[in-house]
Amino acid sequence: MNDATTPERLAADSTGPDVPPAPAVLRVRGLTKRFGDMTAVDRLDLDVRPGECFGLLGPNGAGKSTTLKLVLGLATPDAGRIELLGHPVPAQARQARMRAGVVPQHDALDPDFTAAENLLVFGRYFGLPERTLRSRVEPLLEWAALSAKRNAKISELSGGMKRRLTLARALINDPEVLFLDEPTTGLDPQARHLIWERLRQLIARGKTIVLTTHFMDEAERLCDRLMIVDHGRAVTQGAPGELTAREIEPHVLEVHGDDARAWHDQAALRVCERLEWVGETAFGYCRDPRAAIETLAAYPRLRYLHRPANLEDVFLKLTGRDLRD
Amino acid sequence: MSATLPTLPSPAPLAGPTLPRPSLRFLPVYRRNLLVWRKLALPSVMANVADPLITLVAFGYGLGALLPMVGGVRYIEFLAAGALCMSAMMSASFEALYSAFSRMHVQRTWESIMNAPLSLDDVLVAEWLWAATKSLMAAVAIVLVVMALGISRAPTLVLVIPVAVLTGLCFSALGLCFNALAKGYDFFSYYFTLVLTPMVFVSGVYYPQDALPAWLKALAQWLPLSAAVELARPLVLGEWPARVVVPVLVLLAYTGAGFMLARTLTRRRFRA
């Protein structure tokens, strides 16, 4: 969609040169939340700057969703301080949420209403004047490519449409910051790309975005900075490229086939800085890929893939390969 | 003269049971439920009218023809107040259990609402008042049926409406307690079968409580439905209730305690 059809109100506000640098949108210090014996969030610190897209990455059960709930004031922390848009949370969570938008993991759209009514009814929860509200519904539907589905029931919408409607719903109060909990989980590639496209538009218009995901490609594409969390703790944080550069060797060889074990045992350690054997595949992480590839020639019954290291390698290195379900 | 004052510890963060602060923020949530109801209003109103009509015709006229005077009046006149209170109880209970559970658990509507600047208290107050509104609708329907059938046209009939609303508020609050505990819809069968149905039979809905053993009658008088019937029956017959304060206080006590318990249980459920 081009700019002409984008709602005007989504445009970034004209911040003049005389305006001092904006304070952090979100500041969290020592955040801790326990459920019985389980510590879901463990002394977490994080800062989100205005206008950036910040990603919270972690395996299932790492504490991502709990962190979002705490930050929005929907759960009470056991320790720590939270400041969202200048408001202490949970004490002033209501004021903070007035200026925030949320896309929950489950769309939780209202099945008793049409697409347009969902936006209208939700906007009333913010106490917006009816006229303002009504003037926002159509542009938002259009922005979400749902104008034709204005009067459709929720059950008639596809997964991607529902997610877009949830995104539009989260924008009804024209929020400064948008929280998205796994925004593209369960969507097909076309639907994911459309969501990413819309999120990029929002970032370009000056919105701050905080998202959780366990899709590395999503984080790499969208996030200016990200934090990897595991067992409620921050494992590392930084820009995606910076993390790959800092945490892991730049080249990866994925080697499998009949000779893979032999290569792993005999040759790999001489040429790879780090080596992993997973199932039937050897993962070699190295700085000099040519030396490593030369050793492969001695093992004819091999298949291999040489690729640059990515965020997923960092993620797996830091959080391990154990299943989390 | 001491130069320094001891530093006072900063006040502890709010914890434990606190009272919800009254506000009108629940209104958009209440309005949401009203809007959904409006889409399905026709079958809902029909049920409101048809249910009591069938009860009154089947039991009042059918059974009543076989019975002598009950409590000094024709059976259908006796039954009218009971049917009204029972209907107020049932409409609030159904709304606070099945419908509220759908919104809370199945559709996750409550969670969405709390992502907006509304709190669990706002949602609970809205659900509580909305379920009581269903009692109001049911009561109005029955009063119209009672008047149309000529069972009673006493001016005091108007006053059974506030009785029904109070009954609705009471059972709405009690229903929300069980809603907070439910894992699924099946759980509500226990409440209807083991709590509400027995309560109907000991609260003087179908027959006077004098028919009960003395000990059961003494106990049953403290049940909220019993209190509602005690207020409504004379009003239907054009009389003023012998006791007003006690039954009203009984209903208010269940309402207040029920709502506070519902609030505690729901907060626990949401780990808020």
Side-chain angles (χ1 to χ4, degrees):
Chain A
M1 192 180 298
N2 59 40
D3 282 352
T5 56
T6 310
E8 207 178 7
R9 54 174 211 80
L10 292 171
D13 50 344
S14 49
T15 309
D18 51 337
V19 178
V25 168
L26 174 65
R27 185 195 298 273
V28 169
R29 292 289 175 274
L31 187 64
T32 302
K33 177 73 177 175
R34 283 180 285 267
F35 297 117
D37 292 340
M38 205 264 289
T39 304
V41 179
D42 195 359
R43 287 162 290 168
L44 199 72
D45 294 343
L46 64 90
D47 289 274
V48 178
R49 301 166 196 150
E52 77 173 340
C53 179
F54 185 89
L56 216 47
L57 271 74
N60 286 332
K64 306 185 296 288
S65 298
T66 307
T67 303
L68 282 196
K69 277 185 86 174
L70 289 166
V71 157
L72 289 164
L74 302 173
T76 318
D78 292 305
R81 282 185 299 129
I82 305 163
E83 206 181 279
L84 175 58
L85 296 163
H87 295 285
V89 172
Q92 292 179 15
R94 198 187 292 282
Q95 289 91 319
R97 288 209 299 273
M98 277 302 286
R99 294 156 59 202
V102 182
V103 177
Q105 206 175 111
H106 315 272
D107 296 311
L109 292 159
D110 212 320
D112 295 307
F113 292 120
T114 65
E117 284 170 337
N118 259 278
L119 300 186
L120 196 61
V121 169
F122 197 76
R124 290 193 185 124
Y125 300 146
F126 290 84
L128 295 171
E130 202 72 8
R131 269 190 60 193
T132 313
L133 196 48
R134 287 186 186 273
S135 71
R136 285 181 185 179
V137 169
E138 284 306 320
L140 274 175
L141 284 173
E142 198 173 315
W143 180 78
L146 288 169
S147 289
K149 296 286 176 183
R150 174 184 302 114
N151 297 319
K153 284 187 190 161
I154 300 307
S155 56
E156 295 163 11
L157 303 182
S158 71
M161 290 174 180
K162 284 184 197 164
R163 193 52 57 91
R164 267 149 39 214
L165 184 58
T166 311
L167 186 56
R169 185 180 69 172
L171 295 171
I172 193 78
N173 58 325
D174 195 12
E176 290 156 57
V177 55
L178 201 58
F179 292 89
L180 304 108
D181 197 0
E182 298 189 10
T184 64
T185 299
L187 299 186
D188 64 24
Q190 287 81 358
R192 296 180 77 195
H193 278 272
L194 187 49
I195 292 282
W196 288 337
E197 170 53 34
R198 288 297 181 270
L199 292 181
R200 284 207 190 95
Q201 284 186 15
L202 293 174
I203 296 163
R205 274 158 187 74
K207 304 280 181 198
T208 307
I209 289 186
V210 179
L211 60 86
T212 76
T213 184
H214 46 229
F215 294 124
M216 300 305 130
D217 55 339
E218 183 161 287
E220 234 156 6
R221 266 166 228 246
L222 290 176
C223 296
D224 301 306
R225 282 192 316 130
L226 48 89
M227 173 186 277
I228 297 181
V229 290
D230 199 13
H231 305 294
R233 262 176 242 152
V235 180
T236 187
Q237 62 175 316
E242 190 186 308
L243 283 185
T244 333
R246 186 175 72 209
E247 302 281 353
I248 204 156
E249 300 74 15
H251 295 276
V252 183
L253 287 175
E254 291 186 24
V255 181
H256 59 105
D258 290 342
D259 282 340
R261 186 80 227 188
W263 176 78
H264 174 271
D265 293 346
Q266 297 157 9
L269 257 182
R270 284 187 280 111
V271 288
C272 296
E273 274 76 13
R274 215 159 51 79
L275 200 56
E276 270 187 291
W277 179 260
V278 183
E280 295 298 314
T281 306
F283 287 82
Y285 302 87
C286 52
R287 299 201 184 283
D288 179 8
R290 271 186 305 179
I293 290 167
E294 276 166 20
T295 64
L296 291 168
Y299 301 88
R301 289 178 303 147
L302 274 187
R303 296 174 65 185
Y304 78 95
L305 170 70
H306 169 216
R307 58 172 177 80
N310 60 32
L311 203 51
E312 187 147 320
D313 300 308
V314 177
F315 186 83
L316 288 171
K317 180 189 168 194
L318 297 176
T319 63
R321 288 183 182 268
D322 296 337
L323 281 182
R324 308 290 177 89
D325 43 24
Chain B
M1 206 173 97
S2 73
T4 53
L5 286 166
T7 327
L8 289 171
S10 53
L14 288 176
T18 51
L19 284 167
R21 298 215 186 118
S23 87
L24 292 177
R25 279 188 303 259
F26 73 87
L27 273 175
V29 184
Y30 182 92
R31 187 175 177 191
R32 178 230 165 257
N33 289 352
L34 185 67
L35 287 176
V36 175
W37 174 82
R38 221 174 53 182
K39 294 191 172 207
L40 310 158
L42 198 64
S44 174
V45 167
M46 203 197 64
N48 275 339
V49 176
D51 271 356
L53 192 66
I54 291 164
T55 309
L56 286 172
V57 168
F59 286 94
Y61 291 125
L63 194 60
L66 306 171
L67 291 172
M69 303 291 262
V70 177
V73 293
R74 285 190 302 143
Y75 185 58
I76 194 159
E77 293 171 50
F78 178 87
L79 183 62
L84 183 134
C85 293
M86 186 171 73
S87 186
M89 173 182 94
M90 287 298 182
S91 10
S93 301
F94 265 102
E95 191 67 28
L97 294 171
Y98 292 94
S99 310
F101 187 75
S102 301
R103 294 188 282 266
M104 173 185 74
H105 183 76
V106 183
Q107 300 171 191
R108 295 171 180 269
T109 309
W110 290 19
E111 277 173 46
S112 302
I113 294 172
M114 288 187 283
N115 285 331
L118 296 177
S119 66
L120 193 53
D121 278 345
D122 300 325
V123 177
L124 265 184
V125 168
E127 292 287 357
W128 174 53
L129 296 178
W130 170 247
T133 306
K134 297 296 284 285
S135 300
L136 170 67
M137 294 176 186
V140 169
I142 299 183
V143 165
L144 293 177
V145 167
V146 165
M147 287 172 67
L149 294 178
I151 298 169
S152 166
R153 282 171 188 164
T156 49
L157 199 54
V158 181
L159 291 172
V160 302
I161 302 287
V163 172
V165 169
L166 185 53
T167 309
L169 287 171
C170 176
F171 283 97
S172 162
L174 296 176
L176 287 173
C177 296
F178 283 82
N179 177 54
L181 295 170
K183 299 258 185 290
Y185 292 110
D186 293 337
F187 180 71
F188 301 137
S189 311
Y190 292 108
Y191 182 62
F192 277 94
T193 313
L194 301 178
V195 180
L196 295 188
T197 308
M199 200 186 305
V200 168
F201 288 109
V202 298
S203 294
V205 169
Y206 288 107
Y207 44 81
Q209 283 177 308
D210 295 333
L212 301 172
W215 64 270
L216 186 54
K217 184 186 167 187
L219 274 180
Q221 281 181 336
W222 298 101
L223 293 172
L225 183 60
S226 184
V229 173
E230 185 179 344
L231 290 168
R233 179 152 292 138
L235 293 173
V236 171
L237 302 173
E239 296 159 11
W240 190 249
R243 295 196 304 173
V244 174
V245 177
V246 173
V248 167
L249 284 180
V250 166
L251 283 168
L252 286 177
Y254 278 102
T255 307
F259 187 79
M260 290 315 292
L261 181 62
R263 184 167 178 262
T264 307
L265 294 173
T266 313
R267 289 169 90 108
R268 186 178 303 166
R269 181 182 185 113
F270 277 82
R271 290 174 156 183

